[in-house]
Coordinates of all heavy atoms in Angstrom, one line a residue:
M475 N -6.4 -3.3 15.6 CA -7.2 -2.7 14.4 C -6.5 -1.3 14.1 O -6.1 -0.6 15.1 CB -8.6 -2.5 14.8 CG -9.5 -2.3 13.7 SD -9.8 -3.7 12.6 CE -11.2 -4.5 13.4
A476 N -6.3 -1.0 12.9 CA -5.8 0.4 12.6 C -6.6 1.0 11.4 O -7.0 0.2 10.5 CB -4.3 0.2 12.1
K477 N -6.9 2.2 11.5 CA -7.5 2.9 10.4 C -6.5 3.1 9.3 O -5.4 3.6 9.6 CB -8.1 4.2 10.9 CG -9.4 4.1 11.5 CD -10.3 5.4 11.4 CE -11.4 5.2 12.3 NZ -12.2 3.9 12.2
I478 N -6.9 2.9 8.1 CA -6.0 3.2 7.0 C -6.8 3.9 5.9 O -7.9 3.6 5.6 CB -5.4 1.9 6.4 CG1 -4.6 1.1 7.4 CG2 -4.5 2.3 5.1 CD1 -3.9 -0.1 6.9
I479 N -6.2 5.0 5.5 CA -6.9 5.9 4.5 C -6.2 5.7 3.2 O -5.1 6.0 3.0 CB -6.9 7.3 5.0 CG1 -7.7 7.5 6.3 CG2 -7.5 8.3 4.0 CD1 -6.9 7.9 7.5
F480 N -7.0 5.4 2.2 CA -6.5 5.3 0.8 C -7.0 6.5 0.0 O -8.2 6.7 0.0 CB -7.0 4.0 0.1 CG -6.5 2.7 0.7 CD1 -7.0 2.1 1.9 CD2 -5.3 2.1 0.2 CE1 -6.6 1.0 2.5 CE2 -4.8 0.9 0.8 CZ -5.5 0.4 1.9
I481 N -6.1 7.1 -0.7 CA -6.4 8.3 -1.5 C -6.2 7.8 -3.0 O -5.2 7.5 -3.3 CB -5.6 9.5 -1.2 CG1 -5.5 9.8 0.3 CG2 -6.1 10.8 -1.9 CD1 -6.6 10.5 0.9
S482 N -7.3 8.0 -3.7 CA -7.2 7.6 -5.1 C -6.5 8.7 -5.9 O -6.3 9.8 -5.4 CB -8.6 7.4 -5.8 OG -9.1 8.6 -6.0
S483 N -6.1 8.4 -7.2 CA -5.4 9.4 -8.0 C -6.2 10.6 -8.3 O -5.8 11.6 -8.7 CB -4.9 8.7 -9.4 OG -6.0 8.2 -10.0
T484 N -7.6 10.4 -8.2 CA -8.5 11.6 -8.4 C -8.9 12.2 -7.2 O -9.7 13.2 -7.1 CB -9.8 11.1 -9.1 OG1 -10.4 10.0 -8.3 CG2 -9.5 10.6 -10.5
G485 N -8.3 11.8 -6.0 CA -8.5 12.6 -4.7 C -9.6 12.0 -3.8 O -9.8 12.5 -2.8
D486 N -10.2 10.9 -4.3 CA -11.3 10.2 -3.4 C -10.6 9.5 -2.4 O -9.6 8.9 -2.5 CB -12.1 9.3 -4.3 CG -12.9 10.1 -5.3 OD1 -13.4 11.2 -5.0 OD2 -13.1 9.5 -6.4
S487 N -11.2 9.6 -1.2 CA -10.7 8.9 0.0 C -11.5 7.8 0.5 O -12.7 7.9 0.6 CB -10.5 10.0 1.1 OG -10.4 9.5 2.4
T488 N -10.9 6.7 0.9 CA -11.6 5.5 1.4 C -10.8 5.2 2.7 O -9.7 4.9 2.7 CB -11.5 4.3 0.4 OG1 -12.0 4.7 -0.8 CG2 -12.3 3.1 0.9
E489 N -11.6 5.1 3.8 CA -11.1 4.7 5.1 C -11.6 3.4 5.5 O -12.7 3.1 5.3 CB -11.6 5.8 6.1 CG -11.0 5.6 7.5 CD -11.4 6.7 8.4 OE1 -11.2 7.9 8.0 OE2 -11.9 6.5 9.5
I490 N -10.6 2.5 5.9 CA -11.0 1.2 6.3 C -10.4 0.9 7.7 O -9.5 1.5 8.2 CB -10.5 0.1 5.3 CG1 -8.9 0.0 5.3 CG2 -11.0 0.3 3.9 CD1 -8.4 -1.2 4.6
D491 N -11.0 -0.1 8.3 CA -10.4 -0.6 9.6 C -9.7 -1.9 9.3 O -10.3 -2.9 8.8 CB -11.6 -0.9 10.6 CG -12.3 0.3 11.1 OD1 -11.5 1.3 11.4 OD2 -13.5 0.4 11.2
A492 N -8.4 -1.9 9.4 CA -7.5 -3.1 9.0 C -7.2 -3.9 10.3 O -6.7 -3.3 11.2 CB -6.3 -2.5 8.3
P493 N -7.4 -5.1 10.3 CA -7.0 -6.0 11.4 C -5.5 -6.1 11.5 O -4.8 -6.2 10.6 CB -7.6 -7.4 11.1 CG -8.6 -7.1 9.9 CD -8.1 -5.9 9.2
T494 N -5.1 -5.8 12.8 CA -3.7 -6.0 13.2 C -3.2 -7.3 12.7 O -3.9 -8.4 13.0 CB -3.5 -5.8 14.7 OG1 -4.0 -4.5 15.0 CG2 -2.0 -5.9 15.1
G495 N -2.0 -7.4 12.1 CA -1.4 -8.7 11.7 C -1.7 -9.0 10.2 O -1.0 -9.8 9.7
D496 N -2.8 -8.5 9.7 CA -3.0 -8.7 8.2 C -2.1 -7.9 7.5 O -1.5 -6.9 8.1 CB -4.4 -8.2 7.8 CG -5.5 -9.3 8.1 OD1 -5.1 -10.3 8.7 OD2 -6.6 -9.2 7.7
S497 N -1.9 -8.0 6.2 CA -1.2 -7.2 5.3 C -2.1 -6.1 5.0 O -3.4 -6.2 5.0 CB -0.5 -7.8 4.1 OG -1.6 -8.1 3.2
V498 N -1.6 -4.9 4.6 CA -2.4 -3.8 4.2 C -3.2 -4.2 2.9 O -4.4 -3.9 2.7 CB -1.6 -2.5 3.9 CG1 -2.3 -1.4 3.2 CG2 -1.0 -2.0 5.2
M499 N -2.5 -5.0 2.0 CA -3.2 -5.5 0.8 C -4.4 -6.3 1.2 O -5.4 -6.1 0.7 CB -2.2 -6.3 0.0 CG -2.8 -7.0 -1.2 SD -3.7 -8.5 -1.0 CE -2.4 -9.7 -0.8
Q500 N -4.3 -7.2 2.1 CA -5.4 -8.2 2.5 C -6.6 -7.3 3.0 O -7.7 -7.5 2.7 CB -5.0 -9.1 3.6 CG -4.0 -10.2 3.2 CD -3.5 -11.0 4.3 OE1 -3.1 -10.5 5.3 NE2 -3.6 -12.3 4.3
A501 N -6.2 -6.3 3.8 CA -7.3 -5.5 4.4 C -7.9 -4.6 3.2 O -9.2 -4.5 3.2 CB -6.7 -4.5 5.4
A502 N -7.2 -4.2 2.3 CA -7.7 -3.4 1.1 C -8.6 -4.3 0.2 O -9.7 -3.9 -0.2 CB -6.5 -2.9 0.3
V503 N -8.1 -5.5 -0.1 CA -8.9 -6.4 -1.0 C -10.2 -6.8 -0.3 O -11.3 -6.8 -0.9 CB -8.0 -7.5 -1.4 CG1 -8.9 -8.7 -2.1 CG2 -6.9 -7.1 -2.3
S504 N -10.2 -7.1 1.0 CA -11.3 -7.6 1.7 C -12.4 -6.5 1.9 O -13.6 -6.8 2.0 CB -11.0 -8.3 3.0 OG -10.5 -7.3 3.9
T505 N -12.0 -5.3 1.7 CA -12.9 -4.1 1.8 C -13.1 -3.5 0.4 O -13.7 -2.4 0.4 CB -12.5 -3.1 2.8 OG1 -11.2 -2.7 2.6 CG2 -12.6 -3.7 4.3
M506 N -12.6 -4.1 -0.6 CA -12.8 -3.7 -1.9 C -12.4 -2.2 -2.3 O -13.1 -1.5 -2.9 CB -14.2 -3.9 -2.5 CG -14.6 -5.4 -2.3 SD -16.4 -5.8 -2.6 CE -16.4 -5.6 -4.3
V507 N -11.1 -1.9 -1.8 CA -10.6 -0.6 -2.1 C -10.2 -0.6 -3.6 O -9.5 -1.5 -4.1 CB -9.3 -0.4 -1.2 CG1 -8.6 0.9 -1.7 CG2 -9.7 -0.2 0.2
D508 N -10.7 0.4 -4.2 CA -10.4 0.5 -5.7 C -8.9 0.6 -5.9 O -8.2 1.5 -5.3 CB -11.2 1.7 -6.3 CG -12.5 1.5 -6.8 OD1 -12.8 0.2 -6.9 OD2 -13.2 2.3 -7.2
G509 N -8.5 -0.1 -7.0 CA -7.1 0.2 -7.5 C -6.1 -0.8 -6.8 O -4.9 -0.7 -7.2
I510 N -6.4 -1.6 -5.8 CA -5.5 -2.6 -5.3 C -5.9 -3.9 -5.8 O -6.9 -4.5 -5.5 CB -5.6 -2.6 -3.8 CG1 -5.3 -1.2 -3.2 CG2 -4.6 -3.7 -3.2 CD1 -3.9 -0.7 -3.4
V511 N -5.2 -4.4 -6.9 CA -5.5 -5.6 -7.6 C -5.1 -6.9 -7.0 O -5.7 -7.8 -6.8 CB -5.0 -5.5 -9.1 CG1 -5.3 -6.7 -9.8 CG2 -5.6 -4.1 -9.7
A512 N -3.7 -6.8 -6.6 CA -3.1 -8.0 -5.9 C -3.3 -9.3 -6.5 O -3.8 -10.3 -6.0 CB -3.7 -8.1 -4.5
E513 N -2.9 -9.3 -7.8 CA -3.0 -10.6 -8.6 C -2.3 -11.8 -8.1 O -2.8 -12.9 -8.2 CB -2.4 -10.3 -10.0 CG -3.4 -9.8 -11.1 CD -2.7 -9.4 -12.4 OE1 -1.6 -9.9 -12.6 OE2 -3.4 -8.7 -13.1
C514 N -1.2 -11.6 -7.5 CA -0.5 -12.8 -6.9 C -1.0 -13.3 -5.5 O -0.4 -14.2 -5.0 CB 1.0 -12.6 -7.0 SG 1.7 -11.6 -5.6
G515 N -1.8 -12.5 -5.0 CA -2.3 -12.9 -3.6 C -1.4 -12.6 -2.5 O -1.5 -13.1 -1.4
G516 N -0.3 -11.8 -2.8 CA 0.6 -11.4 -1.7 C 1.9 -12.1 -1.6 O 2.6 -12.1 -0.7
C517 N 2.3 -12.9 -2.7 CA 3.5 -13.6 -2.7 C 4.7 -12.8 -3.4 O 5.7 -13.5 -3.8 CB 3.4 -15.0 -3.1 SG 2.7 -15.1 -4.8
L518 N 4.5 -11.5 -3.5 CA 5.6 -10.7 -4.0 C 6.1 -11.1 -5.4 O 7.2 -11.1 -5.8 CB 6.8 -10.8 -3.0 CG 8.0 -9.7 -3.1 CD1 7.3 -8.3 -3.1 CD2 8.9 -9.9 -2.1
S519 N 5.0 -11.3 -6.3 CA 5.4 -11.6 -7.7 C 4.5 -10.9 -8.6 O 4.5 -11.3 -9.8 CB 5.4 -13.2 -7.8 OG 4.1 -13.7 -7.7
C520 N 3.9 -9.8 -8.4 CA 3.1 -9.1 -9.4 C 3.3 -7.6 -9.3 O 3.0 -7.0 -10.4 CB 1.6 -9.6 -9.2 SG 0.8 -8.8 -7.8
A521 N 3.4 -7.0 -8.2 CA 3.5 -5.5 -8.1 C 2.1 -4.8 -8.4 O 2.1 -3.6 -8.6 CB 4.5 -4.9 -9.0
T522 N 1.0 -5.5 -8.4 CA -0.3 -4.9 -8.6 C -1.0 -4.5 -7.3 O -2.2 -4.2 -7.3 CB -1.3 -5.8 -9.5 OG1 -1.5 -7.0 -8.7 CG2 -0.7 -6.1 -10.8
C523 N -0.2 -4.4 -6.3 CA -0.7 -4.0 -5.0 C 0.1 -2.7 -4.6 O 0.2 -2.3 -3.5 CB -0.5 -5.0 -3.9 SG 1.1 -5.4 -3.6
H524 N 0.7 -2.1 -5.6 CA 1.5 -0.9 -5.4 C 0.8 0.3 -4.8 O -0.4 0.6 -5.2 CB 2.1 -0.5 -6.8 CG 2.9 0.8 -6.9 ND1 3.0 1.6 -7.9 CD2 3.7 1.3 -6.0 CE1 3.7 2.6 -7.7 NE2 4.3 2.4 -6.5
V525 N 1.4 1.0 -3.9 CA 0.9 2.2 -3.3 C 2.0 3.2 -3.1 O 3.2 2.7 -3.0 CB 0.2 1.9 -1.9 CG1 -1.2 1.1 -2.1 CG2 1.1 1.2 -0.9
Y526 N 1.7 4.4 -2.9 CA 2.6 5.4 -2.4 C 2.3 5.8 -1.0 O 1.2 6.2 -0.7 CB 2.6 6.7 -3.3 CG 2.8 6.4 -4.7 CD1 1.7 6.6 -5.7 CD2 4.0 6.2 -5.3 CE1 1.8 6.3 -7.0 CE2 4.1 6.0 -6.7 CZ 3.1 6.1 -7.5 OH 3.3 5.9 -8.9
V527 N 3.3 5.6 -0.1 CA 3.1 6.0 1.2 C 3.1 7.6 1.5 O 4.0 8.2 0.9 CB 4.2 5.4 2.1 CG1 4.1 5.8 3.5 CG2 4.2 3.9 2.0
D528 N 2.1 8.0 2.1 CA 2.1 9.5 2.3 C 3.4 10.0 2.9 O 4.0 9.3 3.8 CB 0.9 9.9 3.2 CG 0.7 11.4 3.2 OD1 0.0 11.8 2.3 OD2 1.1 12.0 4.1
E529 N 3.8 11.1 2.5 CA 5.1 11.7 3.1 C 5.2 11.7 4.6 O 6.2 11.5 5.1 CB 5.2 13.1 2.5 CG 6.6 13.4 2.0 CD 6.7 14.8 1.3 OE1 5.8 15.0 0.4 OE2 7.5 15.5 1.6
A530 N 4.1 12.0 5.2 CA 4.1 12.1 6.7 C 4.2 10.7 7.4 O 4.6 10.7 8.5 CB 2.7 12.7 7.1
W531 N 4.2 9.6 6.5 CA 4.2 8.3 7.1 C 5.4 7.5 6.7 O 5.6 6.4 7.2 CB 2.9 7.5 6.7 CG 1.8 7.9 7.6 CD1 0.9 8.9 7.3 CD2 1.3 7.4 8.9 NE1 -0.1 9.1 8.3 CE2 0.2 8.1 9.3 CE3 1.9 6.4 9.7 CZ2 -0.4 7.9 10.4 CZ3 1.2 6.1 10.8 CH2 0.1 6.9 11.2
I532 N 6.2 8.0 5.8 CA 7.3 7.2 5.3 C 8.3 6.7 6.3 O 8.8 5.5 6.1 CB 7.9 7.9 4.0 CG1 8.8 6.9 3.3 CG2 8.8 9.1 4.5 CD1 7.9 5.8 2.6
D533 N 8.5 7.6 7.3 CA 9.5 7.1 8.3 C 9.0 6.0 9.1 O 9.7 5.0 9.5 CB 9.9 8.3 9.2 CG 10.8 9.3 8.5 OD1 11.3 8.9 7.5 OD2 10.9 10.5 9.0
K534 N 7.8 6.0 9.4 CA 7.1 5.0 10.3 C 7.0 3.6 9.5 O 7.2 2.6 10.0 CB 5.7 5.4 10.7 CG 5.3 4.7 12.0 CD 4.2 5.4 12.7 CE 4.8 6.0 13.9 NZ 3.7 6.7 14.8
V535 N 6.6 3.8 8.2 CA 6.4 2.5 7.4 C 7.7 1.9 6.9 O 7.9 0.7 6.9 CB 5.5 2.8 6.2 CG1 5.3 1.7 5.3 CG2 4.1 3.3 6.6
G536 N 8.6 2.9 6.6 CA 9.9 2.4 6.1 C 10.1 2.2 4.6 O 9.0 2.0 4.0
A537 N 11.2 2.2 4.1 CA 11.4 2.0 2.7 C 11.3 0.5 2.4 O 11.5 -0.4 3.3 CB 12.8 2.5 2.3
A538 N 11.1 0.1 1.1 CA 11.0 -1.2 0.7 C 12.4 -1.9 0.7 O 13.4 -1.3 0.3 CB 10.5 -1.2 -0.8
P539 N 12.4 -3.0 1.3 CA 13.7 -3.8 1.3 C 14.0 -4.3 0.0 O 13.2 -4.2 -1.0 CB 13.4 -5.0 2.3 CG 11.9 -5.1 2.4 CD 11.3 -3.8 2.0
G540 N 15.2 -5.0 -0.2 CA 15.7 -5.3 -1.5 C 14.9 -6.1 -2.4 O 14.7 -5.8 -3.6
D541 N 14.2 -7.2 -1.8 CA 13.5 -8.1 -2.7 C 12.2 -7.3 -3.2 O 11.8 -7.5 -4.4 CB 13.1 -9.4 -2.1 CG 12.5 -9.2 -0.7 OD1 12.6 -8.1 -0.1 OD2 11.9 -10.2 -0.2
E542 N 11.7 -6.5 -2.3 CA 10.5 -5.7 -2.7 C 10.9 -4.7 -3.8 O 10.2 -4.3 -4.7 CB 9.9 -5.1 -1.5 CG 8.5 -4.5 -1.8 CD 8.0 -3.7 -0.5 OE1 8.2 -4.3 0.7 OE2 7.2 -2.8 -0.7
Q543 N 12.0 -4.1 -3.6 CA 12.6 -3.0 -4.5 C 12.6 -3.6 -5.9 O 12.3 -3.0 -6.9 CB 14.0 -2.6 -4.1 CG 14.0 -1.6 -3.0 CD 13.6 -0.2 -3.4 OE1 13.3 0.1 -4.5 NE2 13.5 0.6 -2.4
G544 N 13.1 -4.9 -6.0 CA 13.2 -5.6 -7.3 C 11.9 -5.7 -8.0 O 11.8 -5.4 -9.1
M545 N 10.8 -6.0 -7.2 CA 9.5 -6.3 -7.8 C 8.9 -4.9 -8.1 O 8.1 -4.7 -9.1 CB 8.7 -7.0 -6.9 CG 7.3 -7.5 -7.4 SD 7.4 -8.3 -9.0 CE 8.3 -9.8 -8.6
L546 N 9.2 -3.9 -7.4 CA 8.7 -2.5 -7.6 C 9.1 -2.0 -9.1 O 8.5 -1.1 -9.6 CB 9.1 -1.5 -6.5 CG 8.2 -1.5 -5.4 CD1 8.9 -0.8 -4.2 CD2 6.8 -0.9 -5.6
Q547 N 10.2 -2.5 -9.6 CA 10.6 -2.1 -10.9 C 9.5 -2.4 -11.9 O 9.5 -1.9 -13.0 CB 11.9 -2.8 -11.4 CG 13.1 -2.4 -10.5 CD 14.3 -3.2 -10.8 OE1 14.4 -3.8 -11.9 NE2 15.2 -3.3 -9.9
F548 N 8.6 -3.4 -11.6 CA 7.5 -3.8 -12.5 C 6.2 -3.0 -12.3 O 5.3 -3.2 -12.9 CB 7.3 -5.2 -12.4 CG 8.5 -6.0 -12.8 CD1 9.3 -6.5 -11.9 CD2 8.8 -6.3 -14.2 CE1 10.5 -7.3 -12.2 CE2 9.9 -7.0 -14.5 CZ 10.7 -7.5 -13.6
A549 N 6.2 -2.1 -11.2 CA 5.1 -1.3 -11.0 C 5.1 -0.1 -11.9 O 6.1 0.4 -12.5 CB 5.1 -0.8 -9.5
L550 N 4.0 0.5 -12.1 CA 3.8 1.7 -13.0 C 4.2 2.9 -12.1 O 3.7 3.2 -11.1 CB 2.3 1.9 -13.4 CG 2.0 2.9 -14.4 CD1 2.6 2.6 -15.7 CD2 0.5 3.0 -14.5
D551 N 5.2 3.6 -12.6 CA 5.7 4.9 -12.0 C 6.1 4.8 -10.6 O 5.5 5.6 -9.7 CB 4.7 6.0 -12.2 CG 4.5 6.4 -13.7 OD1 5.3 6.2 -14.4 OD2 3.3 6.9 -14.0
P552 N 7.0 3.9 -10.2 CA 7.4 3.8 -8.9 C 8.2 5.0 -8.5 O 8.9 5.7 -9.3 CB 8.3 2.5 -8.8 CG 8.7 2.4 -10.2 CD 7.7 2.9 -11.1
N553 N 8.2 5.4 -7.2 CA 9.1 6.4 -6.7 C 9.6 6.0 -5.4 O 9.4 4.9 -4.9 CB 8.4 7.8 -6.7 CG 7.3 8.0 -5.8 OD1 7.3 7.2 -4.7 ND2 6.4 8.9 -5.9
E554 N 10.3 7.0 -4.8 CA 11.0 6.7 -3.4 C 10.0 6.4 -2.3 O 10.4 5.9 -1.3 CB 12.0 7.8 -3.1 CG 11.3 9.2 -2.6 CD 10.8 9.9 -3.9 OE1 11.1 9.6 -5.0 OE2 10.0 10.9 -3.6
R555 N 8.7 6.7 -2.5 CA 7.7 6.4 -1.5 C 6.8 5.2 -1.9 O 5.8 4.9 -1.2 CB 6.8 7.6 -1.2 CG 7.6 8.8 -0.5 CD 6.7 10.0 -0.2 NE 6.2 10.6 -1.4 CZ 4.9 10.7 -1.8 NH1 4.0 10.0 -1.2 NH2 4.6 11.3 -3.0
S556 N 7.3 4.4 -2.9 CA 6.5 3.3 -3.3 C 6.7 2.1 -2.4 O 7.9 1.8 -1.9 CB 7.0 2.9 -4.7 OG 6.5 3.8 -5.7
R557 N 5.6 1.4 -2.1 CA 5.7 0.2 -1.4 C 4.6 -0.8 -2.1 O 3.7 -0.4 -2.7 CB 5.3 0.3 0.0 CG 6.3 1.0 0.9 CD 7.7 0.3 1.1 NE 7.6 -1.0 1.5 CZ 7.6 -1.5 2.8 NH1 7.8 -0.6 3.8 NH2 7.5 -2.8 3.1
L558 N 5.0 -2.1 -1.8 CA 4.0 -3.1 -2.2 C 3.1 -3.4 -0.9 O 3.7 -3.8 0.1 CB 4.6 -4.4 -2.7 CG 5.3 -4.1 -4.1 CD1 6.1 -5.4 -4.5 CD2 4.4 -3.7 -5.2
S559 N 1.9 -3.1 -1.1 CA 1.0 -3.1 0.1 C 0.9 -4.5 0.8 O 0.5 -4.7 2.0 CB -0.4 -2.6 -0.2 OG -1.1 -3.2 -1.1
C560 N 1.2 -5.6 0.0 CA 1.1 -6.9 0.5 C 2.4 -7.1 1.5 O 2.4 -8.1 2.3 CB 1.2 -8.0 -0.5 SG 2.6 -8.1 -1.5
Q561 N 3.3 -6.2 1.5 CA 4.5 -6.3 2.3 C 4.5 -5.4 3.5 O 5.5 -5.4 4.2 CB 5.7 -6.1 1.4 CG 5.9 -7.0 0.2 CD 5.9 -8.5 0.6 OE1 6.8 -8.9 1.4 NE2 5.0 -9.3 0.1
I562 N 3.4 -4.7 3.6 CA 3.2 -3.9 4.8 C 2.3 -4.5 5.9 O 1.1 -4.8 5.5 CB 2.6 -2.4 4.5 CG1 3.6 -1.8 3.4 CG2 2.6 -1.6 5.7 CD1 2.9 -0.5 2.9
Q563 N 2.7 -4.9 7.0 CA 1.9 -5.5 8.0 C 1.2 -4.4 8.8 O 1.8 -3.4 9.3 CB 2.8 -6.4 8.9 CG 1.9 -7.3 9.8 CD 2.7 -8.2 10.7 OE1 3.9 -8.0 11.0 NE2 2.0 -9.3 11.1
V564 N -0.1 -4.6 9.0 CA -0.8 -3.7 9.9 C -0.5 -3.9 11.3 O -0.4 -5.0 11.9 CB -2.3 -4.0 9.7 CG1 -3.1 -3.1 10.6 CG2 -2.8 -3.9 8.3
T565 N -0.1 -2.8 11.9 CA 0.2 -2.7 13.3 C -0.5 -1.6 13.9 O -1.0 -0.7 13.3 CB 1.8 -2.5 13.6 OG1 2.1 -1.2 13.1 CG2 2.6 -3.6 13.0
D566 N -0.7 -1.6 15.3 CA -1.4 -0.5 16.0 C -0.7 0.9 15.7 O -1.3 1.9 15.7 CB -1.4 -0.8 17.5 CG -2.3 -2.0 17.8 OD1 -3.2 -2.3 17.0 OD2 -2.2 -2.5 19.0
E567 N 0.6 0.8 15.5 CA 1.4 2.0 15.3 C 1.0 2.7 14.0 O 1.3 3.8 13.7 CB 2.9 1.7 15.2 CG 3.5 1.4 16.6 CD 3.0 0.0 17.2 OE1 2.9 -0.9 16.4 OE2 2.7 -0.1 18.3
L568 N 0.4 1.9 13.1 CA 0.1 2.4 11.8 C -1.4 3.0 11.7 O -1.9 3.3 10.7 CB 0.2 1.4 10.7 CG 1.7 0.9 10.4 CD1 1.7 0.0 9.2 CD2 2.6 2.1 10.2
D569 N -2.0 3.1 12.9 CA -3.4 3.8 12.9 C -3.3 5.1 12.4 O -2.5 6.0 12.8 CB -3.8 3.7 14.4 CG -5.3 4.1 14.5 OD1 -6.0 3.7 13.6 OD2 -5.5 4.9 15.4
G570 N -4.1 5.4 11.3 CA -4.2 6.6 10.7 C -3.3 6.7 9.4 O -3.3 7.8 8.7
L571 N -2.7 5.6 9.0 CA -1.8 5.6 7.9 C -2.5 6.0 6.6 O -3.6 5.7 6.4 CB -1.4 4.1 7.7 CG -0.5 3.8 6.4 CD1 0.8 4.6 6.4 CD2 -0.3 2.3 6.2
V572 N -1.8 7.0 5.9 CA -2.5 7.5 4.6 C -1.5 6.8 3.4 O -0.4 6.9 3.5 CB -2.4 9.0 4.6 CG1 -2.9 9.5 3.3 CG2 -3.2 9.5 5.8
L573 N -2.3 6.2 2.5 CA -1.6 5.7 1.3 C -2.3 6.2 0.1 O -3.5 6.4 0.1 CB -1.8 4.1 1.3 CG -1.1 3.4 2.5 CD1 -1.5 1.9 2.6 CD2 0.4 3.5 2.5
H574 N -1.5 6.4 -0.9 CA -2.0 7.0 -2.2 C -2.0 5.8 -3.3 O -1.0 5.2 -3.4 CB -1.1 8.1 -2.7 CG -1.2 9.3 -1.7 ND1 -2.1 10.3 -1.7 CD2 -0.4 9.5 -0.5 CE1 -1.8 11.1 -0.7 NE2 -0.8 10.6 -0.1
V575 N -3.1 5.7 -4.0 CA -3.2 4.5 -4.9 C -2.9 5.1 -6.2 O -3.4 6.1 -6.7 CB -4.7 4.0 -4.8 CG1 -4.8 2.9 -5.8 CG2 -5.1 3.5 -3.5
P576 N -2.0 4.4 -7.0 CA -1.6 4.9 -8.3 C -2.9 5.0 -9.3 O -3.9 4.2 -9.1 CB -0.7 3.8 -8.9 CG -0.3 2.9 -7.6 CD -1.4 3.1 -6.6
A577 N -2.8 5.6 -10.3 CA -3.9 5.8 -11.3 C -4.2 4.4 -12.0 O -5.2 4.2 -12.4 CB -3.5 6.8 -12.4
A578 N -3.0 3.6 -12.1 CA -3.2 2.3 -12.6 C -2.2 1.3 -12.1 O -1.2 1.8 -11.6 CB -3.0 2.4 -14.2
Q579 N -2.5 0.0 -12.2 CA -1.5 -1.0 -11.9 C -1.3 -1.8 -13.1 O -2.1 -2.0 -14.0 CB -2.1 -2.0 -10.8 CG -2.7 -1.4 -9.6 CD -1.7 -1.1 -8.6 OE1 -0.5 -1.3 -8.8 NE2 -2.1 -0.6 -7.4
Y580 N 0.0 -2.3 -13.3 CA 0.2 -3.1 -14.5 C -0.4 -4.4 -14.3 O -0.7 -5.0 -13.3 CB 1.7 -3.4 -14.7 CG 2.4 -2.3 -15.4 CD1 3.6 -1.7 -15.0 CD2 1.9 -1.7 -16.6 CE1 4.3 -0.7 -15.6 CE2 2.5 -0.7 -17.2 CZ 3.7 -0.2 -16.8 OH 4.4 0.8 -17.4
Ligands
FES853 FE1 1.5 -9.4 -5.7 FE2 1.7 -7.7 -3.7 S1 0.0 -8.8 -4.2 S2 3.2 -8.4 -5.1

């Protein structure tokens, strides 16, 4: 289990307990975190699970690999800290992870 904190574009914070082994997207959807749409259910074909990894966590989470980079082109306003949350696996090492939710998802 890892605590994950989602910060909305308006600064609201939502903290969830995410089961180890799930994707961050699965944990967010099952706890109804606002702004994580996840239309494709996690098969890397929609980009509606886009998040920005907090600067303090980017080294631990890592950058998006090539196939994910390709799909991020379809996200709204991606940047160098963008990830698709369905591609981030929850691990104990990510306890306390802070993610920023975009103002909108395509
Ligand atoms: Fe569709 Fe992540 S849920 S790409």
Side-chain angles (χ1 to χ4, degrees):
M475 199 72 88
K477 276 204 189 318
I478 301 180
I479 297 117
F480 294 86
I481 312 281
S482 75
S483 60
T484 55
D486 294 327
S487 162
T488 304
E489 185 175 304
I490 67 167
D491 290 319
T494 304
D496 276 9
S497 71
V498 168
M499 176 280 283
Q500 287 172 313
V503 167
S504 68
T505 52
M506 302 175 71
V507 173
D508 266 352
I510 305 296
V511 179
E513 266 173 18
C514 79
C517 58
L518 195 53
S519 61
C520 75
T522 61
C523 62
H524 177 211
V525 292
Y526 303 108
V527 178
D528 190 83
E529 224 170 308
W531 284 89
I532 194 67
D533 286 345
K534 202 163 252 185
V535 174
D541 51 347
E542 187 181 333
Q543 285 283 356
M545 189 49 62
L546 275 167
Q547 293 174 24
F548 298 98
L550 186 66
D551 294 331
N553 69 22
E554 67 284 347
R555 291 185 291 109
S556 289
R557 289 294 311 264
L558 295 176
S559 58
C560 68
Q561 302 301 304
I562 305 172
Q563 189 177 23
V564 177
T565 63
D566 292 342
E567 290 70 40
L568 293 184
D569 187 38
L571 174 64
V572 179
L573 299 170
H574 300 267
V575 180
Q579 307 275 8
Y580 276 134

